Amino acid sequence: MTATPASVEALLEAVDDDGAVAFDGFRVERAADGYALETPDEEWTGLAADDLADALEPLSDYVTNWRYWQRSVSGEGTARRAFLRWCERAPLEVETDRKTTADETTDEPVATHPSIDAPLSVPERYDALRDGLDREWGQLCLTARLVDDADDDPVGERVYDLWHVDDADSDLADLEVYDDPRDAREIATYDEDGRYRPLKTAPTLPSGWAFTGLSGGELVETVEFFYPATVANWHRELQGTLDVDHWTETAERQTGIYDVLDELPREGVEWMAEACCVDSQCLRRREWEFDEDDELDVDGGDGPFPCREPCSLVVAAARKWTILESEQERTYELELTASEYNQLAALIDAVAEGRTDEIREADVNDGANRYRARYLRAKRFDEEGNLEARRVDD
Amino acid sequence: MQALVIAAHGSHLNPDASDPTYAHADTVRETGAFDEVREAFWKEEPHFREVIRTLESDEVFVVPLFISEGYFTEQVIPRELRLEEWDPEKWDSDGTSASQVTLEAEDVGKTIHYCGPVGTHDAMTDVIVQRAESVTEDPDVGEVSASGDAEARRSISDGGFGLTVVGHGTERNENSAKAIEYHTERIRETDRFDEAKALFMDEEPEVDDVTDYFDTDDVVVVPLFIADGYHTQEDIPEDMGLTEDYRLGWDVPSEVDGHRIWYAGAVGTEGLMADVILERAADAGADIGDAVESVREATGLEAGAEPEPNAEPGD
Ligand code: SF4
C-alpha cells in the first residue's frame, strides 16, 4: 500500500472526534490502552495507531461501507436511506413498534415486512454488489453495484441502475439509456400502445429503457417519478406508522361533486376494489378496507408498497358507480339463444380483462371476436341501436 | 432545508394537462433555490394527500397553480394536505389578495407556508404581457414607438394593439372574474396597449363578440387559464370565429371581422410562470437568492432579450 486510503483516514478522524465508530457490525474505539477493533468475526484490542491502520487494511469493505452510508448517503431516519439500504439487503435501521426479530450478525432489531428478507452481512453484500444486486419494485428492477475502485484506494461508492423487469435480460445496447430522473415522467405517461396511464402504479409500464449509473438520491427520485410516494409510504409501513384512511373516512371527507361517495353501498365498494385494486390492475397493495374493523373480502395484493387510501382515480370512478347504483333494478325479457347468452358473458369478460386486442381477426370461436359481436348486433339491435328487450316489471 | 410544492389540478384523461406544471417545476429546479421541488396534483400522482411525506425538508412552501381563489385553493388543497388549522379567513383576502399563511401539516409535523394562487399575484400581469410578446413574436408589442423594427409593428393602420384577458365568468366562481379584471386593469394602467378589456366565456362582455369591443386592428387574446385544454383549444377559438372546427386549427393572427386576432392560448404555458411561483414562495419567506432574476433572464422578460415563445403560434 502506497498511502493510507482516504476512507481509512476519514474513519480515523471520526474515531478521534467521537471516541468510537460503530456501524453494520464493525466497531472501532479509542480506549486508554489503545484502539479496539471489532468485526462479527474478529476482535483486536490495545492497538497502536500504526497497528490499527495495518489491521484495517484487509477490512476495507467495512471501512468503505461505513463511509458510504455515514458520509455519502447519511440522512439518518429518512425513507431515502432506508430504501437504499433495502436495495442492497442491508439490515434496516428502522425504529419500529411492530414485531421485530434480532439480526444475528449485528443484534440490531430488524423489521418484518413482506418486502424484507434475511439481511446480508457486509462481506456478503460486497460480494453481491461486485456483480450487482437486484431488487424488484413493482415493474421496476433496481440494481445496486459498486463503482469500480482504484485498487489502492477503495472508495466503496455505490451506483444504481434501473430498468423494466421485462428487460432484466435485455442487452443494454438495445435499450434507450437515460441518466436524468426527470425522464421517468415521460416514460411513465404512456403505455406500450401509446395510451395515457392516469394510474402510475398500473402494471402497464412500457419497457425498452434503462437508467444507469444513478446516485442513491437520483435512484430514489427516479423511482418516485415512476411510482410517486411509494417509498415514503413503504417506509412508514415499516415503522408501523402508516396512516391508512379507509373507505368510509375517504368518502365522508369528499365535497363538491364527490360529496355523494358515502352513498355507495358496501357491496359496491367490494366490487370496486375487485375492479380496480387487484394486482392485475394496480401494483399497490391495498391496505384500506371498508372501515377500520370491516375488511373487504377481495384480496389487496402482495406488492412491496402499500396503498393507504382510495386514490383519485378510484374516487372519480366511485362517483360514477354511486350514481349508477342509485338506479332501481328492473326485469327485462329478451330473446337469445343459449350461445348468444354465453356470448354476452364472453364479451364482458374480454373487455374486463383487456383482452379484445388479442382476439384474432378470424377466431370466430371466441364470443368476443369482432365479427361475432357485429353479427349479434345486426341480429339483436333495433333501429335505434338498442338491444331489443321488453321491461316486464311495470 | 426548504422545499417547494407546486399544487396543480392534473387530469385523468388528458396527458398534457400536467405539462406546464412539470415545465415550471423544472425551471425552478434549475435555479437551485429549493432543496426539493415537487409537482402535486388533485387528479394525478403524487396526490396532494401524499406529497408532503415525500419531502425531507422541514419547511415547505406550497404554491397553488390555480388562477383564482376558490373551491380548490380554499377547500380542497388545504383539506387534502391536512392543514388542520386552515381557515380561508386566514388569508384575509378580498378575493385577489391572498399572500400566504403558515400552518402545520398534521401527518408529518412540518411547517407549511400555504401561498395564494399564482393567478392573482401581481407578477402574473407580466406573464400575460409576455404571453402577448410570445404570440406576436414581438418583444415590443403594443409599444409602437419603442420598436426599432418597423416590421415589428405589424399593424395595418395606427400600429396599436388591443389586449384582452379572457376567463370563465362569475358563474363558477366570483373570484375568477375578479382576477381577470384585476390584471386587465393593471395592464390598462401601463398604457402600453391602446385598449385592454376583460372578456368572459359565460357572461357579458363575451369573448364571442371580441371584435365589437376593440377599435384597434390588432387584438391579442390571452386566456387566463393554467393549461391548454377543452376551453382554450376548442371552445374559445370556435366562439371567436378563428375556425369553424377546432380540429382544423387556426392561423395566428386570424382575420375576424376586419380585425387581426392573435390568439395566445393558455397563459399558464408561458415560461415566465415559473417566476410567479418563485415570487409567491419568496413573499411567504422562502430564501430564493437571485432565482427570480435568473428565471426572468432564462424566460426572456428582460428588456432587449430575445423572446422565446415556447409554443408555435397556433400550437
Ligand atoms: S385505490 Fe386501488 S387502484 Fe388506487 S392506488 Fe390504491 S390499490 Fe391502486
Side-chain angles (χ1 to χ4, degrees):
Chain A
M1 200 171 70
T2 50
T4 319
S7 309
V8 171
E9 252 171 52
L11 176 76
L12 295 178
E13 231 167 78
V15 173
D16 280 342
D17 288 350
D18 305 334
V21 161
F23 189 70
D24 274 355
F26 168 69
R27 186 179 167 81
V28 185
E29 192 179 343
R30 195 184 53 210
D33 63 342
Y35 291 95
L37 170 63
E38 192 186 320
T39 70
D41 309 313
E42 286 174 282
E43 246 187 85
W44 296 261
T45 48
L47 295 173
D50 283 353
D51 299 337
L52 175 65
D54 286 347
L56 286 174
E57 203 194 320
L59 300 178
S60 75
D61 289 353
Y62 284 101
V63 179
T64 62
N65 183 63
W66 164 81
R67 182 165 114 150
Y68 179 67
W69 288 108
Q70 302 305 81
R71 293 293 154 92
S72 296
V73 176
S74 63
E76 202 85 29
T78 61
R80 168 177 57 92
R81 179 181 173 100
F83 185 73
L84 294 174
R85 299 275 296 170
W86 175 81
C87 281
E88 65 174 62
R89 291 180 57 184
L92 294 181
E93 311 142 316
V94 293
E95 280 173 36
T96 167
D97 31 7
R98 287 163 66 109
K99 292 165 285 176
T100 56
T101 53
D103 169 35
E104 288 146 34
T105 50
T106 61
D107 226 21
E108 303 264 324
V110 291
T112 53
H113 185 270
S115 69
I116 307 293
D117 35 27
L120 302 178
S121 68
V122 173
E124 287 169 328
R125 259 148 63 199
Y126 268 67
D127 270 350
L129 285 169
R130 284 187 181 99
D131 299 332
L133 210 159
D134 289 346
R135 283 292 210 178
E136 278 188 19
W137 191 257
Q139 286 183 294
L140 303 177
C141 176
L142 324 169
T143 306
R145 57 187 168 85
L146 284 174
V147 180
D148 287 335
D149 286 325
D151 283 342
D152 56 351
D153 192 3
V155 179
E157 287 293 309
R158 277 74 154 162
V159 289
Y160 303 86
D161 308 322
L162 173 66
W163 45 70
H164 194 288
V165 283
D166 293 349
D167 286 325
D169 298 323
S170 301
D171 198 330
L172 200 58
D174 296 331
L175 304 176
E176 189 87 32
V177 177
Y178 300 91
D179 58 12
D180 184 341
R182 288 183 252 165
D183 291 326
R185 287 188 308 221
E186 190 65 30
I187 299 170
T189 303
Y190 302 94
D191 68 12
E192 297 278 5
D193 298 324
R195 281 175 309 197
Y196 178 42
R197 299 174 67 241
L199 180 66
K200 289 282 202 325
T201 44
T204 53
L205 192 66
S207 56
W209 46 268
F211 288 79
T212 56
L214 300 174
S215 69
E218 288 168 339
L219 175 80
V220 175
E221 218 184 313
T222 312
V223 168
E224 285 273 291
F225 277 134
F226 279 116
Y227 296 143
T230 54
V231 173
N233 283 326
W234 164 84
H235 187 231
R236 281 179 165 245
E237 191 177 48
L238 275 180
Q239 294 170 298
T241 57
L242 185 69
D243 45 346
V244 175
D245 285 345
H246 297 286
W247 172 256
T248 47
E249 296 158 73
T250 305
E252 279 158 19
R253 197 178 76 228
Q254 305 299 321
T255 53
I257 61 168
Y258 299 114
D259 199 21
V260 297
L261 248 62
D262 52 3
E263 290 161 34
L264 182 64
R266 190 193 180 290
E267 51 185 3
V269 178
E270 191 84 55
W271 295 323
M272 181 178 73
E274 185 174 334
C276 305
C277 303
V278 294
D279 278 353
S280 69
Q281 306 300 307
C282 176
L283 299 169
R284 283 199 178 90
R285 170 171 32 83
R286 182 180 52 76
E287 287 296 319
W288 57 266
E289 302 291 349
F290 185 72
D291 218 335
E292 189 166 351
D293 32 43
D294 184 359
E295 290 196 7
L296 298 173
D297 286 338
V298 50
D299 186 30
D302 46 30
F305 41 83
C307 171
R308 45 162 299 285
E309 72 173 43
C311 65
S312 75
L313 198 79
V314 159
V315 163
R319 173 173 179 260
K320 185 73 189 173
W321 283 311
T322 306
I323 294 165
L324 294 176
E325 288 294 355
S326 70
E327 288 178 26
Q328 284 269 308
E329 290 199 341
R330 307 280 185 197
T331 306
Y332 292 89
E333 201 176 74
L334 66 166
E335 275 75 45
L336 293 173
T337 66
S339 293
E340 284 167 352
Y341 175 78
N342 291 337
Q343 192 186 346
L344 289 183
L347 282 162
I348 293 169
D349 198 60
V351 173
E353 292 302 322
R355 204 169 60 80
T356 49
D357 281 355
E358 294 157 26
I359 300 168
R360 287 166 297 169
E361 191 86 359
D363 187 3
V364 289
N365 290 324
D366 193 319
N369 169 270
R370 195 175 75 246
Y371 294 126
R372 288 281 306 278
R374 292 177 65 84
Y375 184 97
L376 187 67
R377 182 175 69 175
K379 178 176 174 187
R380 296 296 183 190
F381 278 28
D382 60 22
E383 258 120 59
E384 273 94 60
N386 297 317
L387 184 58
E388 261 178 284
R390 288 171 301 281
R391 239 174 77 185
V392 294
D393 58 346
D394 56 8
Chain B
M1 285 172 77
Q2 60 175 12
L4 174 72
V5 171
I6 303 175
H9 192 282
S11 168
H12 289 148
L13 298 172
N14 173 9
D16 305 326
S18 48
D19 286 354
T21 315
Y22 289 141
H24 306 320
D26 287 349
T27 306
V28 174
R29 284 188 176 99
E30 313 270 291
T31 69
F34 292 87
D35 300 292
E36 298 169 287
V37 177
R38 289 275 187 288
E39 305 88 342
F41 302 95
W42 172 233
K43 297 270 182 155
E44 294 180 37
E45 300 168 71
H47 194 268
F48 298 150
R49 201 83 184 137
E50 310 211 316
V51 66
I52 305 291
R53 62 188 59 204
T54 70
L55 300 165
E56 290 184 15
S57 306
D58 290 323
E59 186 137 28
V60 183
F61 296 83
V62 178
V63 178
L65 198 61
F66 283 80
I67 284 304
S68 52
E69 294 170 31
Y71 178 58
F72 280 100
T73 59
E74 290 176 0
Q75 291 190 46
V76 175
I77 299 174
R79 178 190 77 211
E80 299 292 289
L81 291 177
R82 303 174 183 78
L83 303 180
E84 282 296 290
E85 304 286 305
W86 165 255
D87 182 327
E89 295 295 309
K90 294 200 170 173
W91 263 348
D92 190 22
S93 170
D94 62 7
T96 57
S97 64
S99 175
Q100 77 106 22
V101 56
T102 302
L103 300 158
E104 180 149 319
E106 200 204 6
D107 57 328
V108 285
K110 292 181 194 284
T111 303
I112 311 289
H113 301 276
Y114 183 50
C115 302
V118 287
T120 55
H121 195 279
D122 282 357
M124 194 69 191
T125 310
D126 297 340
V127 184
I128 296 169
V129 172
Q130 172 134 336
R131 191 78 200 134
E133 294 173 5
S134 294
V135 73
T136 55
E137 293 179 44
D138 179 0
D140 298 308
V141 61
E143 299 188 284
V144 182
S145 53
S147 178
D149 174 9
E151 268 303 296
R153 302 173 194 178
R154 286 197 182 80
S155 181
I156 305 158
S157 57
D158 55 7
F161 266 74
L163 183 144
T164 169
V165 185
V166 181
H168 284 292
T170 45
E171 204 168 287
R172 283 170 152 216
N173 167 8
E174 176 194 359
N175 287 336
S176 128
K178 280 192 197 166
I180 310 283
E181 304 273 14
Y182 181 74
H183 294 296
T184 307
E185 184 53 36
R186 281 172 50 84
I187 290 168
R188 192 176 293 131
E189 279 166 12
T190 67
D191 267 342
R192 171 165 175 174
F193 295 90
D194 287 10
E195 298 166 78
K197 180 100 190 147
L199 296 177
F200 301 97
M201 293 183 62
D202 39 10
E203 71 183 44
E204 298 279 320
E206 282 197 38
V207 67
D208 307 29
D209 311 318
V210 56
T211 52
D212 294 351
Y213 293 104
F214 287 88
D215 290 329
T216 53
D217 291 319
D218 288 278
V219 181
V220 183
V221 178
V222 183
L224 197 64
F225 283 75
I226 290 297
D228 274 319
Y230 170 70
H231 292 305
T232 63
Q233 295 300 300
E234 301 179 24
D235 254 10
I236 301 178
E238 287 184 8
D239 288 352
M240 287 195 302
L242 301 186
T243 177
E244 286 288 301
D245 180 337
Y246 75 92
R247 283 165 293 197
L248 302 173
W250 56 87
D251 293 328
V252 178
S254 287
E255 285 287 331
V256 180
D257 301 334
H259 293 263
R260 291 198 295 177
I261 305 294
W262 302 75
Y263 182 59
V267 69
T269 59
E270 186 65 34
L272 189 62
M273 282 293 286
D275 168 65
V276 187
I277 296 169
L278 280 168
E279 303 228 16
R280 272 282 179 229
D283 292 349
D287 175 9
I288 59 169
D290 59 359
V292 164
E293 289 72 41
S294 66
V295 164
R296 286 190 164 231
E297 216 164 281
T299 55
L301 184 77
E302 291 304 295
E306 280 298 299
E308 286 174 50
N310 64 353
E312 288 300 305
D315 207 54

